[in-house]
Amino acid sequence: MIQYLKYISVVLQKRENVAVNKKTVRINKLIDILKVRSFVSIKELSSVLNVSEMTIRRDLEILKDNNIAENIYGTTVYNPAHTVAKSEDEYNLLGETKKKNTQKDDIGRFAASLVNEDDIIIIDSGSTTERIAASLPVDRNISVLCYNINILMELRRNPGVKMIFAGGFYHSNTQMFECPESIDFIKGVRAQKVFVSAAGVHSQLGVTCANSYEVPVKRAILQSSLQKILVTDSSKFDIVRPAFFCELDQIDVIVTDNNLSEDWRNRISEAGITLYTV
Amino acid sequence: MIQYLKYISVVLQKRENVAVNKKTVRINKLIDILKVRSFVSIKELSSVLNVSEMTIRRDLEILKDNNIAENIYGTTVYNPAHTVAKSEDEYNLLGETKKKNTQKDDIGRFAASLVNEDDIIIIDSGSTTERIAASLPVDRNISVLCYNINILMELRRNPGVKMIFAGGFYHSNTQMFECPESIDFIKGVRAQKVFVSAAGVHSQLGVTCANSYEVPVKRAILQSSLQKILVTDSSKFDIVRPAFFCELDQIDVIVTDNNLSEDWRNRISEAGITLYTV
DNA sequence: GTTATTATGTTACAATGGTTACAAATTAGA
DNA sequence: TCTAATTTGTAACCATTGTAACATAATAAC
């Protein structure tokens, strides 16, 4: 599965003169077709690209793993979420593996179960937090503040959710919007719970993220919320990323997967933080 | 087949106290679901609406005949041209006929052709303005400020567009976000062109919209833009809506359809406004 | 209330999409 | 060049969706 990533990276670096092979060319064409026609059948793609339907299915699986498109029984739909751009410092949502995705799903589902009727919650940027938005109970009266386009899309599907959005300029690497006025806006909101993500959690250097522009936003959402819930998979522990946004002891609850080391379990418990592993 | 039309007409006149039957209610719900989730399986619709799959299929046939949605082997897709929102005070986009939709398409397409490479533009709320977003040239470097979720969805498909979003609290009737901080944000942006919509254009009472919360936003976008382009179909002329947001002479360009009366053509030309009818 | 009309459900069957496993072809590396 | 790895194709089988015909239920008209 790992080897597929190279295709995507070539897709991302289209303009550079990287040696491209047939498969890469075909996948690029496929994406181009999907961009224009939101829904296409596999049969049609197969005849247009002159390969068997089976090959198209395999290509689509790659695209699905990378959240570019999905095949839903009969029609392939393009996911416009995928905006092609290289990240500030190589940290790209596309780079996450498929295995981690199910972990993220589990973490997200569990975190969503912490939300009660009439709660006002804030959902931070990230692929794990996106899963929270997707797993929120339906037909429950919940207000949700966010600033990510992918999370907004998920919330929109839930008729019970009152959406609050902090806008600004778009950062395609994280799919979030951000500007100074949004910080003011967030500071004027009050929430029972915040679900904050992190790219690094370190015992001495604290909780960090990849991009400096995220810092004021993360600090504002922590400040506006009563209960501070950190959601991140276990691979982020012992990692340090360039942008520091809070100390670990500012966090009330951590939700992560059960690959977390004993060391960390102790450390978290000693810090008086509630830990949930899924 | 003719007899089905009555359901649609009832759908269109929902707020009037027309006798509604179960089927009408269900079809309305169905449309609501499709509005939010672009693709849904018949199985899911069947279980959500508590009727058999066969009934859903028959309902979908009606929607298909009216260009509202289509079922493509396994997934039902909503026709995004049918952007629909229930309004605060009787102003209902659903009331627009199919014929008007193609008019809106034409107006939107033309307005989009006014956008140049490297332009910074602002797109106001509305179904016509949504068509502008959908028709913007691709692979062109354009920055777009908006505050509507439906417009954001269209922009997102265009990789050449730099998205700028003014957030706030969500208003489901217009699909827009709005808050005081967003007004500040908009005032801090500068744009070559603004595409503003109107629910009413009157020679004495000026340009009006349906909801008071739209007014500060519309005033801010007009203030931040060099060229002020009003896009609205000809049925809005001579109409007065409750919320006034600008005088006609503040407008530089009007794009509308060619059903515009001679009176209005003269009036617009005398006011020194450039008129495009499509 | 009775009848005619419309709406919905059920079932069996047809058509299409999806999956798996394996073979053939292609490509990459030494 | 030759071998190993990767990619693609084929075909049989499984799963899902769609269709048609008929029966039943609900509604409207008289």
Side-chain angles (χ1 to χ4, degrees):
Chain A
M1 206 47 71
I2 292 296
Q3 75 275 13
Y4 290 137
L5 288 175
K6 73 180 170 189
Y7 295 111
I8 303 306
S9 64
V10 173
V11 169
L12 297 176
Q13 299 160 7
K14 214 169 163 183
R15 53 173 74 184
E16 292 172 59
N17 270 347
V18 179
V20 287
N21 60 23
K22 284 203 301 189
K23 186 170 181 176
T24 307
V25 170
R26 189 183 59 237
I27 290 186
N28 273 309
K29 277 189 195 165
L30 218 165
I31 293 175
D32 285 341
I33 293 172
L34 286 173
K35 253 191 250 180
V36 180
R37 316 238 333 244
S38 321
F39 338 98
V40 197
S41 72
I42 286 186
K43 193 174 270 179
E44 189 176 347
L45 289 169
S46 157
S47 82
V48 170
L49 297 171
N50 267 311
V51 287
S52 73
E53 298 187 17
M54 203 55 230
T55 303
I56 299 289
R57 286 178 201 286
R58 286 190 264 245
D59 288 352
L60 288 174
E61 200 166 330
I62 297 170
L63 295 188
K64 185 184 170 184
D65 290 345
N66 288 277
N67 285 316
I68 294 173
E70 195 172 349
N71 185 258
I72 310 175
Y73 215 98
T75 37
T76 300
V77 297
Y78 177 65
N79 176 6
H82 120 275
T83 341
V84 184
K86 271 189 272 175
S87 163
E88 203 172 89
D89 59 340
E90 322 298 273
Y91 180 72
N92 196 311
L93 290 173
L94 269 176
E96 313 280 310
T97 67
K98 185 181 170 186
K99 203 170 90 201
K100 284 236 188 67
N101 271 338
T102 66
Q103 265 183 5
K104 283 169 193 290
D105 264 348
D106 293 339
I107 297 173
R109 242 193 311 274
F110 180 85
S113 75
L114 300 174
V115 178
N116 300 321
E117 174 89 28
D118 292 328
D119 264 0
I120 303 160
I121 66 170
I122 301 179
I123 301 183
D124 189 18
S125 184
S127 54
T128 310
T129 48
E130 178 187 319
R131 304 322 302 154
I132 302 179
S135 307
L136 284 175
V138 288
D139 292 328
R140 201 80 62 87
N141 179 40
I142 304 168
S143 297
V144 183
L145 166 66
C146 68
Y147 31 83
N148 269 67
I149 196 166
N150 51 331
I151 292 173
L152 189 65
M153 289 310 87
E154 294 295 341
L155 295 179
R156 194 188 189 199
R157 305 167 66 142
N158 191 329
V161 166
K162 291 205 180 74
M163 296 185 285
I164 310 170
F165 197 81
F169 296 94
Y170 185 63
H171 296 267
S172 59
N173 58 334
T174 50
Q175 300 194 57
M176 75 177 262
F177 288 87
E178 165 269 338
C179 69
E181 288 84 359
S182 275
I183 305 294
D184 290 341
F185 177 61
I186 293 170
K187 284 180 180 163
V189 172
R190 286 294 178 265
Q192 269 87 24
K193 301 181 175 80
V194 60
F195 295 94
V196 64
S197 69
V201 181
H202 195 271
S203 56
Q204 287 159 57
L205 297 175
V207 193
T208 50
C209 57
N211 308 287
S212 57
Y213 63 78
E214 298 180 68
V215 174
V217 179
K218 282 177 189 276
R219 291 192 175 158
I221 61 174
L222 288 169
Q223 191 184 314
S224 288
S225 305
L226 200 56
Q227 192 176 29
K228 294 145 177 83
I229 304 168
L230 179 68
V231 284
T232 185
D233 60 271
S234 60
S235 71
K236 305 290 164 53
F237 287 81
D238 289 322
I239 301 290
V240 178
R241 303 288 304 170
F244 167 78
F245 67 90
C246 82
E247 296 291 355
L248 199 58
D249 60 21
Q250 290 185 256
I251 301 295
D252 300 307
V253 178
I254 294 179
V255 183
T256 188
D257 58 88
N258 50 27
N259 295 323
L260 191 68
S261 68
E262 267 308 312
D263 257 19
W264 267 106
R265 288 174 193 266
N266 296 333
R267 213 171 285 160
I268 288 167
S269 126
E270 278 164 26
I273 300 171
T274 306
L275 174 68
Y276 296 109
T277 56
V278 295
Chain B
M1 205 48 71
I2 291 296
Q3 75 275 16
Y4 289 137
L5 288 174
K6 73 176 170 192
Y7 295 112
I8 302 308
S9 63
V10 174
V11 169
L12 297 177
Q13 299 160 10
K14 211 172 167 185
R15 72 200 131 67
E16 290 172 60
N17 269 350
V18 178
V20 286
N21 58 23
K22 286 202 299 188
K23 186 169 181 176
T24 306
V25 170
R26 189 184 58 237
I27 289 187
N28 273 310
K29 279 190 192 166
L30 218 164
I31 294 174
D32 284 342
I33 294 172
L34 287 172
K35 243 193 272 176
V36 179
R37 318 239 332 241
S38 330
F39 9 90
V40 198
S41 72
I42 285 186
K43 190 175 272 178
E44 190 175 345
L45 290 169
S46 158
S47 82
V48 170
L49 297 172
N50 267 311
V51 287
S52 73
E53 298 188 16
M54 204 56 228
T55 302
I56 298 290
R57 286 178 199 286
R58 288 189 262 243
D59 288 352
L60 287 173
E61 200 166 331
I62 296 170
L63 294 187
K64 185 183 171 185
D65 291 345
N66 287 276
N67 281 316
I68 295 174
E70 195 172 349
N71 185 258
I72 309 175
Y73 213 98
T75 40
T76 300
V77 297
Y78 180 67
N79 178 2
H82 232 269
T83 313
V84 160
K86 277 171 271 169
S87 169
E88 202 172 88
D89 60 338
E90 328 295 276
Y91 179 69
N92 197 318
L93 291 172
L94 256 180
E96 316 279 311
T97 65
K98 185 181 164 189
K99 207 169 88 199
K100 281 234 188 69
N101 268 337
T102 66
Q103 267 181 4
K104 283 171 191 289
D105 264 346
D106 293 341
I107 296 173
R109 242 194 309 274
F110 180 85
S113 75
L114 300 174
V115 177
N116 300 322
E117 175 90 27
D118 293 326
D119 263 1
I120 303 161
I121 66 170
I122 301 179
I123 301 183
D124 190 18
S125 186
S127 56
T128 310
T129 48
E130 178 188 317
R131 304 320 304 154
I132 301 178
S135 308
L136 285 175
V138 288
D139 293 328
R140 200 82 60 88
N141 179 40
I142 305 168
S143 297
V144 183
L145 166 66
C146 69
Y147 31 82
N148 269 65
I149 197 167
N150 52 331
I151 292 172
L152 189 66
M153 289 309 88
E154 294 295 342
L155 294 179
R156 193 184 191 199
R157 307 170 61 142
N158 191 328
V161 166
K162 291 207 181 73
M163 296 184 285
I164 309 170
F165 197 80
F169 297 92
Y170 184 63
H171 297 266
S172 60
N173 58 334
T174 49
Q175 299 194 59
M176 76 178 261
F177 288 87
E178 165 269 339
C179 70
E181 288 84 359
S182 275
I183 305 294
D184 290 342
F185 177 61
I186 293 169
K187 285 180 180 163
V189 172
R190 287 292 179 266
Q192 270 87 25
K193 303 181 174 81
V194 60
F195 294 94
V196 65
S197 69
V201 181
H202 194 271
S203 56
Q204 287 159 57
L205 297 174
V207 192
T208 50
C209 57
N211 307 287
S212 58
Y213 63 78
E214 299 181 66
V215 173
V217 179
K218 282 177 189 276
R219 290 192 176 157
I221 61 175
L222 287 168
Q223 190 184 315
S224 288
S225 305
L226 200 56
Q227 193 176 27
K228 295 142 176 83
I229 305 168
L230 179 68
V231 284
T232 187
D233 61 90
S234 59
S235 71
K236 305 290 164 52
F237 287 82
D238 288 322
I239 301 288
V240 178
R241 304 290 304 170
F244 167 77
F245 65 90
C246 83
E247 296 291 356
L248 199 58
D249 59 21
Q250 290 184 254
I251 301 296
D252 301 308
V253 179
I254 294 178
V255 183
T256 188
D257 58 87
N258 52 26
N259 294 325
L260 192 70
S261 68
E262 266 308 312
D263 257 17
W264 267 105
R265 288 173 193 267
N266 295 333
R267 215 171 287 160
I268 289 167
S269 126
E270 279 165 23
I273 300 171
T274 306
L275 175 67
Y276 296 110
T277 56
V278 295

